C-alpha cells in the first residue's frame, strides 16, 4: 500500500484530497496542526469506510513540530510515496503593496513557503526510498507573474501583496526542487486546485472541494511519464493544464 502525507488535511481541500487518495488505495497520514480537529476528520473518513488513515500532529510553521512528525512517521514506515504540501494561510484582507504589515507577511511566508521547505527537507529521505515518489505543492493560479502582468486577464484587478508573493515564491522553490531531482523518478509540480469555495476565501470561490481534491490527487497519481517541474492550473487551461509562471 502506497503512503502519502498531506499537510493541513483536516478540512477543505486537504481533507478532500485525503478522501480521493484513500479511494485510490493509499494509506494517508493526515497532517493537522490541531490533533483533535485531525482526529475528527479521521473519524469522518472512517465512517465512509475509508480506514487506512491516521492523524499526524503537524504545524508546518514550527521546525520542532515538523521534526516530531518526521520521527513519528519514521517509526511507522521506511518509505513515503507522496507528499502533498497543502497547508496554507492567506493573511487576511486588504493586502496592498504600500500598506501590508511586514509581521503578517512574515507569518504567511512562514507557512506557505518556509513550511513547505521544512516539510520537504524533513521527509525527503523517506520519499527517496519510494519507487515513484511524488511531491505536489499546492499553489494558486492567481500567482502567475505573467498573467498578473496581462491587463486582459480576467483576474488582473485581483491583486494581493502578501498571499500571492508567498505562492509565487513557492513556485520558484518548486522549479528548483524539480531541477535538483530531475535525474530521479520524482515528479514534482505546483498545482492550482482552482478558485474553490472554502472558508479560506469566505466561500467566494466558484469551484467545489471535490473538483479541487481531484485535481491535486491527479498529480500524486501520475505515472513515470507524467510531468515534473510544471505549474498546473486545469481551471485556467483545461486543455493541457499548463500555465505560465
Amino acid at each position: 500500500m502506497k503512503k502519502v502525507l498531506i499537510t493541513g488535511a483536516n478540512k477543505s481541500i486537504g481533507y478532500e484530497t485525503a478522501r480521493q487518495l484513500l479511494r485510490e488505495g493509499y494509506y494517508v497520514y493526515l497532517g493537522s496542526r490541531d490533533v483533535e480537529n485531525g482526529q475528527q476528520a479521521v473519524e469522518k473518513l472512517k465512517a465512509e469506510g475509508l480506514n487506512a488513515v491516521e492523524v499526524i500532529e503537524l504545524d508546518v510553521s514550527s521546525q520542532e513540530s515538523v521534526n516530531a512528525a518526521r520521527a513519528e512517521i519514521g517509526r511507522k514506515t521506511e518509505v513515503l510515496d507522496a507528499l502533498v504540501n497543502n497547508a496554507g494561510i492567506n493573511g487576511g484582507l486588504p493586502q496592498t503593496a504600500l500598506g501590508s504589515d511586514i509581521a503578517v507577511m512574515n507569518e504567511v511566508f512562514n507557512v506557505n513557503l518556509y513550511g513547505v521547505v521544512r516539510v520537504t527537507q524533513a521527509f525527503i529521505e523517506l520519499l527517496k526510498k519510494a519507487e515513484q515518489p511524488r511531491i505536489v505543492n499546492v499553489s494558486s493560479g492567481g500567482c502567475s507573474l505573467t498573467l498578473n502582468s496581462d491587463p486582459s486577464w480576467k483576474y488582473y484587478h485581483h491583486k494581493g501583496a502578501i498571499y500571492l508573493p508567498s505562492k509565487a515564491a513557492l513556485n520558484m522553490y518548486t522549479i528548483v526542487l524539480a531541477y535538483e531531482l530531475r535525474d530521479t523518478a520524482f515528479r514534482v509540480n505546483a498545482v492550482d486546485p482552482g478558485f474553490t469555495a472554502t472558508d479560506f476565501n469566505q466561500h467566494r470561490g466558484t469551484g467545489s472541494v471535490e473538483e479541487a481534491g481531484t485535481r491535486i490527487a491527479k498529480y500524486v497519481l501520475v505515472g513515470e511519464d507524467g510531468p515534473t517541474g510544471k505549474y498546473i492550473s486545469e481551471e485556467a487551461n483545461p486543455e493541457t493544464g499548463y500555465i505560465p509562471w
Side-chain angles (χ1 to χ4, degrees), residues 117-187:
V117 176
R118 289 187 191 99
V119 174
T120 303
Q121 290 180 349
F123 286 91
I124 194 66
E125 293 307 318
L126 292 183
L127 288 160
K128 285 180 177 179
K129 295 177 182 178
E131 290 185 6
Q132 294 186 330
R134 304 289 179 258
I135 298 176
V136 175
N137 293 333
V138 178
S139 185
S140 167
C143 69
S144 165
L145 300 180
T146 301
L147 294 178
N148 268 286
S149 302
D150 181 0
S152 68
W153 184 46
K154 65 178 180 178
Y155 295 124
Y156 177 71
H157 296 290
H158 294 254
K159 297 287 192 283
I162 300 177
Y163 177 74
L164 296 183
S166 76
K167 289 296 187 177
L170 171 63
N171 282 356
M172 188 68 231
Y173 178 73
T174 304
I175 290 173
V176 176
L177 180 63
Y179 174 79
E180 290 186 11
L181 296 169
R182 67 193 181 282
D183 295 324
T184 72
F186 273 86
R187 294 292 178 267

Side-chain angles (χ1 to χ4, degrees), residues 24-45:
E24 293 291 336
Y26 276 71
Y27 190 94
V28 174
Y29 295 111
L30 189 148
S32 178
R33 183 173 58 181
D34 183 285
V35 174
E36 183 176 344
N37 290 340
Q39 189 57 45
Q40 289 174 1
V42 165
E43 294 307 319
K44 285 172 59 181
L45 291 166

Side-chain angles (χ1 to χ4, degrees), residues 6 9-10 14-23 28 30 38-54:
I6 307 172
N10 61 285
Y15 175 83
E16 181 60 29
T17 302
R19 174 191 277 137
Q20 298 277 349
L21 291 174
L22 283 163
R23 289 174 176 169
V28 174
L30 189 148
Q39 189 57 45
Q40 289 174 1
V42 165
E43 294 307 319
K44 285 172 59 181
L45 291 166
K46 288 185 175 181
E48 295 182 30
L50 302 171
N51 297 308
V53 56
E54 65 179 289

Side-chain angles (χ1 to χ4, degrees), residues 69-243:
R70 169 62 179 84
E72 182 176 359
I73 291 178
R75 288 191 291 268
K76 300 171 184 294
T77 181
E78 295 182 355
V79 179
L80 189 65
D81 297 276
L83 169 62
V84 178
N85 285 306
N86 168 74
I89 59 175
N90 63 21
L93 294 172
Q95 294 185 6
T96 63
L98 298 177
S100 292
D101 189 326
I102 291 295
V104 176
M105 184 172 285
N106 282 336
E107 182 181 3
V108 172
F109 269 72
N110 192 32
V111 174
N112 295 358
L113 175 61
Y114 308 145
V116 171
V117 176
R118 289 187 191 99
V119 174
T120 303
Q121 290 180 349
F123 286 91
I124 194 66
E125 293 307 318
L126 292 183
L127 288 160
K128 285 180 177 179
K129 295 177 182 178
E131 290 185 6
Q132 294 186 330
R134 304 289 179 258
I135 298 176
V136 175
N137 293 333
V138 178
S139 185
S140 167
C143 69
S144 165
L145 300 180
T146 301
L147 294 178
N148 268 286
S149 302
D150 181 0
S152 68
W153 184 46
K154 65 178 180 178
Y155 295 124
Y156 177 71
H157 296 290
H158 294 254
K159 297 287 192 283
I162 300 177
Y163 177 74
L164 296 183
S166 76
K167 289 296 187 177
L170 171 63
N171 282 356
M172 188 68 231
Y173 178 73
T174 304
I175 290 173
V176 176
L177 180 63
Y179 174 79
E180 290 186 11
L181 296 169
R182 67 193 181 282
D183 295 324
T184 72
F186 273 86
R187 294 292 178 267
V188 182
N189 294 291
V191 179
D192 169 33
F195 188 31
T196 308
T198 68
D199 56 6
F200 189 84
N201 57 25
Q202 292 77 52
H203 295 272
R204 292 176 299 167
T206 55
S208 68
V209 291
E210 291 80 10
E211 187 175 36
T214 299
R215 286 170 173 163
I216 296 171
K218 176 180 178 178
Y219 293 94
V220 171
L221 297 168
V222 291
E224 61 184 11
D225 59 344
T228 191
K230 300 299 184 182
Y231 181 22
I232 299 161
S233 176
E234 295 188 346
E235 178 182 75
N237 182 3
E239 186 174 342
T240 69
Y242 303 144
I243 62 172

